[in-house]
Amino acid sequence: MLQDWLILLPELLLLAFLPVAWLVNLYRESKTAKTFFTLSRVFLAAAILCTLIFYNRSVWPDWLRNTRLTTLFKMLCYVIGLIWFYLSSKWYLNKNRSSYRFYLLCMGLLLVYGLLISSRNLLLFGLLFPIWALLTGALIYQHWDEGRMTRAVKIYAASAGLFGGLLWAGIVLLAYYAGTLSYAGLKTVPLSAGTYAGMALVTSCCLFMLAAAPFHLWFVSALEKAVLPVCGFLTLVPLFAMFSCLLTLVGGAFSAAAPMLRGLLLASAVLSFLIGALSAGGQSNFRRLFAFVSVFNIGLILFGLADFKADSVLGTFIYALIYIMSITGIYTVFLGLKSRGDYLDSLEEIGGLSAEKPYLSASALIFMFSLVGIPPLLGFWGRLALVNTLVSAERWIDMVLLLVAVIFIVSAFLRVIGTVYFEPRQKTFDRTDKAIYICLLINLVLVLIAIINPHFLFYEAQIALLGTY
Amino acid sequence: MVSPVFLLPLIVALPLFGALFVLTARDTGVVRGRNAFNVCIFTVISNVILLWRVFMVLNEKDRNLQLLQKFDWLSTPDINLVFGVDTFSLLLILALHLAILIGLVGVRANTERQMPLMVFALLFLSMSTGLFVAADIFSFYIFFEAMLLPLFMILGMFGGVKRQGMLQRFFLYNFIGALLLFVATMLIYYQFGSISLEEVRRTAFAGRSGVYIWTAVGLSFISRIPIWPFHYWISSINSAIRNPLAFIIMSFMPLTALYGFTRFLPDGFWDMGSFYIGIINIVGVITMLFIALIGFINRETQYKIFAYATVYNIMYLLGIFTGDDLIVYNIGYALFGFMIIISALEVLSAYIKQRELEADTSARGFLCRARRLSAVYSFMIIAAVGFPVSAVFVNNFLILARLLGTNVKIGALLVCTLVIAGMTLLQELFRLKADNNTCRLGKSDDISRSMFGFMLFVAFILLMSFVKPLWFVVG
């Protein structure tokens, strides 16, 4: 019994944070933005440690199973979350706002993501979805007092309601036609129109949670309007959780219906990277621009993943990891873009940034070039791994489509670079926190140095993926 | 032959370290720009010394890549970095270093944006050196694309008022070109693995896929040469740049493409692709003729230099397409002298333009009063026009003779074009040497003794290259 509780420690720790934070918020008088960061850091670090210790132990393996693969993805979610928590604390300190709700909701979401990654039954998935939807909605809705969130929240609420309904419709169909909701059972069910439809509906819901096109509207509008910590969290953390869900669901439980679902994934992938690439160029708000860049990259990830073969999964995973490193750098740069206490989000406002903030500008430049895969930056390896996946599968047309889309993204980045480096200065920029520079430096070193010996950085992940998947 | 001292990786890495040092240099107050400049000069000279050492250990008669170095890099996909050189590529690297050294002398007095210029110049030096020492397809592709970043930044900083449009054109043309090479590289890798450049020529272009690969490779290279229909972006860039070092760096873009053709052109291409070669010859000569004529009627000195350089670049391209190994070898020697001449001319022209702007007068007749400038400028023009004072003379002669031998009509047109290109430069020399009493530039505006000494040294290198191309190789 005690051993079971110990195995559940990572989830329990994340869960325990919620009442503790509530109590601290209620009773502690001298609270700063750092208070809740410190608290979440302690709980999250302990959860990371416990996840590592019990990496292959499960209490209810039919419902929640921990493997090397799930541990890898959980670790990535938690570590990325921890890094972003640290950076977000700077935003709250600068704004002198309470960070209580942010950390509370994010820790709740991390718990949900952890459970989704380990989930082995669709019923659990279905039960977790409304919690995820509520927490994400609340996260987008927070700081509503600034009066900016109305439209984004409406779009999100409508989308979440719709996809919640579709998910449950899918679950009911599968329960009726397949007679089971466990992933292991679904692998062997005879295929019929009902099971096909059920699987397609569940997969659509995953795509919605991932913010893949055409279900991306909530994500783009949220990122444009939400406060910076929320934008960063929604961009960085969910990716690996949903990557893992797609692997276990579409690549595992629904493998019998793979050809049909592959078509669905590919359609969403092509739409995502085309919409992302074509829309990014016309944006004047750089957060919205990078929201489309994220949609573009989600499309590429789905594109590589669609085959669900070991090589393609590994190639796509490498791409995703490198993308997350670069986009984290971009969001770190965003945290340094302030003028008279306000965080900037318009492209015009950052004109001539390089003259006053050369290091910040150079970092943005490097991360953007890494995102489009220009050698010798680390992003090149990501692009190479992805294109290699397509070439190995002889998907020539897909490769051409992908490279054409890359040209449009490059064009969008050129606008940003041109504004930052070659336009006259529009604003006086505030002093940038040293912590931002330190984080940027660490990230830059990883992006620049890891390319010299990438095995060092990715070896364990490769072993975990190839060994398990 | 395997180098025990990692000379080639060191030559690629040293400018990168130099760029890092420049970044840490103090750049404010009275030393504004000087520290960055000094570090840059030191780095380039150090690399020239290393290059000299490489020449010493190289067997110049061996046409294969030597001093091969292989580094394991990626496992998914399985890619290694492989370096190697032959005399041809080493000559180009040396020309690149000397040209940048000349360009640095041209910008030594600048204080505006000196530090970023030095950083990106060193990055460019590292990446283009990497391109010339790359010995397999992936290494080549990596450096081919990587050099776009410093070029883009340099163009953005010194591209003049219309730079936004130029930047878009520059990056999109080159990025699409690089992506095409990437596609070709992936196709080659898919069929043969990561193979050396020497194997590519022999194996990669057979069959139907070979046509696709060659089309992608050809388009990616030719987009960097100012040949119709790709001429516009390069001409708009080169005529707008006002910094001599930036101009010299941009002038190396066509050179990287010429080098690419020498490495990738398949062995049997002259049998298979005679039709395409014919088209390239015709389009090339017509482009040369037009650009030479535009250069002749254009009053901008910089455009004249660009027109001259373009004409010669296309001639070398046509030379490469003759498929004669000896001609390709000659092109290496010719390019060595040619790039040095272009760089020296650009620096001296930029100096004259600067004096013109400062004194708010025309430079017509200026050379009559500035003896030192007159001596070196005249020498460079004479060398550029084709007089027997540099390696360009002999090698151009051989290339031209081969082209005339292949097709008399094309060859005759080529000669006409070269004459017009030469007249374009002579026209500028005559303007600067004409009688003009109203010119307010005098003896005091002449180049300094140190710059004169440096230009004499450059002239000496050119002269010696005429006497014996590898005169500096002892033993």
Side-chain angles (χ1 to χ4, degrees):
Chain A
M1 183 64 188
L2 179 65
Q3 196 186 10
D4 289 352
W5 286 107
L6 282 175
I7 292 168
L8 280 174
L9 255 181
E11 285 78 20
L12 290 175
L13 279 164
L14 292 174
L15 193 66
F17 170 82
L18 308 179
V20 173
W22 180 70
L23 288 171
V24 169
N25 188 49
L26 207 63
Y27 293 111
R28 189 176 162 129
E29 284 186 2
S30 57
K31 302 184 289 279
T32 65
K34 225 174 171 180
T35 311
F36 293 101
F37 165 62
T38 312
L39 204 60
S40 61
R41 185 177 60 184
V42 170
F43 277 86
L44 194 51
I48 289 171
L49 200 68
C50 294
T51 307
L52 271 178
I53 293 168
F54 304 112
Y55 74 99
N56 59 355
R57 301 290 183 87
S58 313
V59 185
W60 307 292
D62 292 340
W63 291 84
L64 287 169
R65 187 180 300 157
N66 290 329
T67 61
R68 285 169 76 177
L69 192 75
T70 59
T71 305
L72 172 70
F73 285 106
K74 275 187 193 176
M75 290 297 294
L76 282 168
C77 284
Y78 295 163
V79 170
I80 294 166
L82 189 60
I83 293 166
W84 188 248
F85 282 178
Y86 172 65
L87 289 166
S88 300
S89 69
K90 303 294 165 195
W91 189 94
Y92 283 101
L93 279 172
N94 278 317
K95 288 292 219 180
N96 199 20
R97 299 182 72 113
S98 165
S99 60
Y100 163 64
R101 273 185 294 175
F102 173 74
Y103 286 109
L104 193 78
L105 294 169
C106 287
M107 287 292 272
L109 272 172
L110 281 177
L111 172 64
V112 172
Y113 284 132
L115 292 172
L116 281 172
I117 289 169
S118 297
S119 169
R120 286 295 177 274
N121 194 299
L122 265 185
L123 189 62
L124 181 64
F125 193 93
L127 291 172
L128 286 169
F129 180 82
I131 305 170
W132 171 85
L134 281 174
L135 289 172
T136 307
L139 197 62
I140 298 171
Y141 195 59
Q142 77 152 338
H143 303 303
W144 56 273
D145 50 311
E146 288 184 357
R148 301 168 67 190
M149 294 306 305
T150 321
R151 190 169 165 268
V153 172
K154 277 181 188 167
I155 291 174
Y156 174 75
S159 315
L162 175 69
F163 281 93
L166 291 177
L167 174 69
W168 275 101
I171 290 172
V172 170
L173 277 173
L174 283 171
Y176 183 76
Y177 286 102
T180 176
L181 288 176
S182 77
Y183 291 4
L186 284 169
K187 267 185 192 175
T188 53
V189 293
L191 291 172
S192 64
T195 49
Y196 267 137
M199 287 172 182
L201 288 173
V202 174
T203 308
S204 307
C205 185
C206 287
L207 295 177
F208 163 74
M209 292 166 84
L210 191 60
F215 321 122
H216 64 288
L217 287 176
W218 70 271
F219 179 73
V220 174
S221 55
L223 256 62
E224 183 189 359
K225 302 285 183 188
V227 292
L228 202 49
V230 174
C231 290
F233 187 85
L234 289 179
T235 308
L236 303 174
V237 178
L239 182 75
F240 281 112
M242 296 323 296
F243 191 112
S244 169
C245 286
L246 282 174
L247 276 185
T248 48
L249 265 175
V250 186
F254 302 161
S255 55
M260 189 201 70
L261 295 178
R262 184 174 180 267
L264 182 69
L265 288 179
L266 278 180
S268 176
V270 172
L271 270 178
S272 297
F273 73 68
L274 287 182
I275 288 175
L278 294 173
S279 308
Q283 305 304 323
S284 55
N285 178 307
F286 57 77
R287 279 201 221 160
R288 196 172 160 84
L289 190 153
F290 278 95
F292 279 112
V293 170
S294 296
V295 173
F296 166 80
N297 279 288
I298 287 166
L300 293 192
I301 288 162
L302 284 176
F303 209 49
L305 205 58
D307 281 343
F308 289 103
K309 291 176 185 161
D311 280 354
S312 66
V313 169
L314 179 60
T316 313
F317 175 79
I318 290 170
Y319 182 84
L321 198 54
I322 292 168
Y323 155 69
I324 284 293
M325 283 166 72
S326 300
I327 202 81
T328 305
I330 293 283
Y331 273 94
T332 315
V333 170
F334 287 173
L335 282 168
L337 300 177
K338 273 185 305 168
S339 179
R340 296 180 182 176
D342 286 332
Y343 284 83
L344 306 174
D345 54 15
S346 160
L347 208 52
E348 271 180 20
E349 292 173 328
I350 56 168
L353 178 75
S354 67
E356 207 171 312
K357 303 268 176 201
Y359 296 113
L360 220 53
S361 314
S363 307
L365 181 82
I366 290 168
F367 291 127
M368 275 188 272
F369 277 110
S370 179
L371 273 173
V372 290
I374 293 205
L377 302 171
L378 193 60
F380 167 66
W381 188 30
R383 190 177 81 188
L384 195 65
L386 194 63
V387 172
N388 186 48
T389 300
L390 299 180
V391 171
S392 307
E394 301 194 351
R395 292 162 60 184
W396 308 115
I397 296 170
D398 294 351
M399 188 178 75
V400 172
L401 272 176
L402 187 153
L403 295 177
V404 169
V406 168
I407 292 168
F408 283 99
I409 281 290
V410 169
S411 181
F413 283 169
L414 289 186
R415 267 186 67 223
V416 181
I417 295 166
T419 309
V420 168
Y421 273 90
F422 315 128
E423 291 290 317
R425 202 177 67 186
Q426 302 288 332
K427 293 254 180 188
T428 310
F429 300 100
D430 294 353
R431 201 181 69 82
T432 306
D433 199 313
K434 270 184 188 166
I436 303 280
Y437 282 123
I438 292 168
C439 288
L440 277 176
L441 186 70
I442 294 168
N443 201 337
L444 278 175
V445 167
L446 279 174
V447 168
L448 292 169
I449 304 295
I451 195 66
I452 296 170
N453 187 4
H455 306 291
F456 172 73
L457 196 69
F458 293 99
Y459 183 73
E460 291 299 333
Q462 284 189 18
I463 296 294
L465 272 171
L466 286 177
T468 314
Y469 189 72
Chain B
M1 191 194 310
V2 177
S3 166
V5 282
F6 293 94
L7 274 174
L8 297 183
L10 194 60
I11 288 167
V12 178
L14 200 64
L16 278 180
F17 292 126
L20 283 177
F21 269 105
V22 172
L23 276 175
T24 58
R26 193 175 152 224
D27 192 42
T28 50
V30 284
V31 294
R32 195 171 174 81
R34 290 302 302 174
N35 284 341
F37 175 80
N38 290 339
V39 174
C40 195
I41 282 271
F42 178 77
T43 310
V44 178
I45 291 174
S46 307
N47 240 14
V48 169
I49 294 167
L50 281 176
L51 282 169
W52 193 7
R53 171 74 190 140
V54 178
F55 265 111
M56 299 288 197
V57 293
L58 202 71
N59 178 3
E60 65 171 290
K61 289 189 178 113
D62 189 350
R63 299 284 172 87
N64 295 318
L65 293 175
Q66 301 163 57
L67 303 175
L68 287 167
Q69 292 281 336
K70 186 178 173 185
F71 302 94
D72 292 340
W73 191 33
L74 301 177
S75 57
T76 319
D78 184 19
I79 292 171
N80 308 305
L81 277 182
V82 189
F83 294 149
V85 281
D86 58 4
T87 313
F88 182 80
S89 52
L90 208 53
L91 272 170
L92 294 187
I93 300 170
L94 188 61
L96 172 72
H97 280 75
L98 292 176
I100 286 187
L101 205 57
I102 295 166
L104 284 171
V105 171
V107 297
R108 70 195 186 291
N110 287 9
T111 52
E112 196 63 27
R113 292 190 152 182
Q114 186 80 319
M115 188 165 144
L117 177 64
M118 297 298 124
V119 170
F120 291 115
L122 285 173
L123 280 178
F124 172 78
L125 190 64
S126 172
M127 296 303 141
S128 32
T129 306
L131 180 86
F132 293 132
V133 300
D136 81 333
I137 48 166
F138 266 107
S139 311
F140 185 89
Y141 161 71
I142 286 163
F143 291 108
F144 187 82
E145 189 170 354
M147 67 167 59
L148 294 183
L149 171 63
L151 284 172
F152 175 79
M153 295 309 292
I154 288 170
L155 187 60
M157 285 186 292
F158 300 100
V161 284
K162 291 180 184 170
R163 60 188 169 202
Q164 282 288 17
M166 275 183 349
L167 279 172
Q168 289 279 348
R169 277 196 296 276
F170 164 80
F171 208 80
L172 288 182
Y173 267 98
N174 285 288
F175 191 72
I176 291 169
L179 279 184
L180 285 171
L181 186 64
F182 179 62
V183 171
T185 306
M186 289 305 293
L187 290 173
I188 294 170
Y189 174 78
Y190 176 61
Q191 289 184 40
F192 308 102
S194 188
I195 55 175
S196 73
L197 289 180
E198 284 161 336
E199 286 172 303
V200 167
R201 293 183 59 162
R202 287 196 295 271
T203 55
F205 300 111
R208 191 182 168 85
S209 68
V211 176
Y212 297 133
I213 294 171
W214 169 244
T215 307
V217 168
L219 281 173
S220 70
F221 290 149
I222 216 154
S223 67
R224 286 192 177 188
I225 297 174
I227 190 169
W228 185 88
F230 304 104
H231 62 291
Y232 178 63
W233 75 266
I234 307 182
S235 63
S236 63
I237 285 169
N238 279 281
S239 55
I241 289 176
R242 290 285 169 265
N243 182 294
L245 180 59
F247 180 89
I248 290 165
I249 286 172
M250 282 294 161
S251 305
F252 269 91
M253 285 292 279
L255 192 71
T256 57
L258 291 177
Y259 177 74
F261 273 121
T262 63
R263 291 289 179 226
F264 276 81
L265 215 58
D267 281 346
F269 189 73
W270 299 275
D271 305 322
M272 299 182 296
S274 55
F275 172 71
Y276 300 103
I277 292 172
I279 290 176
I280 289 173
N281 277 338
I282 292 166
V283 173
V285 170
I286 292 172
T287 313
M288 285 167 82
L289 200 57
F290 269 95
I291 289 183
L293 284 170
I294 294 169
F296 189 70
I297 57 174
N298 202 308
R299 291 183 174 205
E300 276 281 319
T301 314
Q302 189 144 308
Y303 197 90
K304 285 178 185 294
I305 296 173
F306 163 72
Y308 166 80
T310 301
V311 164
Y312 275 75
N313 277 322
I314 298 176
M315 185 183 80
Y316 294 136
L317 176 72
L318 302 186
I320 290 166
F321 275 97
T322 59
D324 189 334
D325 272 353
L326 187 70
I327 294 297
V328 172
Y329 200 63
N330 284 115
I331 287 171
Y333 286 110
L335 280 172
F336 174 73
F338 169 72
M339 285 316 299
I340 293 175
I341 293 168
I342 293 283
S343 309
L345 269 179
E346 171 57 26
V347 166
L348 294 171
S349 301
Y351 177 84
I352 295 167
K353 184 82 183 168
Q354 182 72 21
R355 293 277 86 79
E356 255 184 334
L357 287 173
E358 281 173 10
D360 194 19
T361 183
S362 163
R364 187 182 167 83
F366 176 36
L367 291 192
C368 298
R369 293 158 193 170
R371 290 168 58 193
R372 291 195 288 255
L373 182 61
S374 174
V376 287
Y377 195 79
S378 305
F379 178 85
M380 293 304 164
I381 294 276
I382 285 168
V385 169
F387 280 77
V389 288
S390 75
V392 177
F393 167 73
V394 184
N395 296 290
N396 277 4
F397 185 78
L398 288 169
I399 297 160
L400 207 56
R402 181 70 172 84
L403 286 168
L404 270 165
T406 312
N407 187 329
V408 178
K409 289 173 193 164
I410 294 283
L413 267 174
L414 203 65
V415 173
C416 288
T417 313
L418 294 183
V419 170
I420 297 171
M423 281 164 61
T424 304
L425 293 182
L426 286 173
Q427 185 192 33
E428 182 62 12
L429 183 65
F430 293 149
R431 181 181 80 87
L432 293 171
K433 282 193 172 257
D435 279 339
N436 180 15
N437 294 329
T438 59
C439 177
R440 291 204 292 272
L441 294 169
K443 203 175 173 181
S444 59
D445 294 303
D446 203 350
I447 54 173
S448 64
R449 280 176 199 279
S450 57
M451 188 164 173
F452 181 60
F454 178 76
M455 284 298 167
L456 280 182
F457 174 67
V458 173
F460 170 74
I461 291 173
L462 287 172
L463 266 175
M464 290 304 289
S465 72
F466 172 66
V467 178
K468 189 187 175 199
L470 297 179
W471 57 274
F472 46 86
V473 181
V474 183

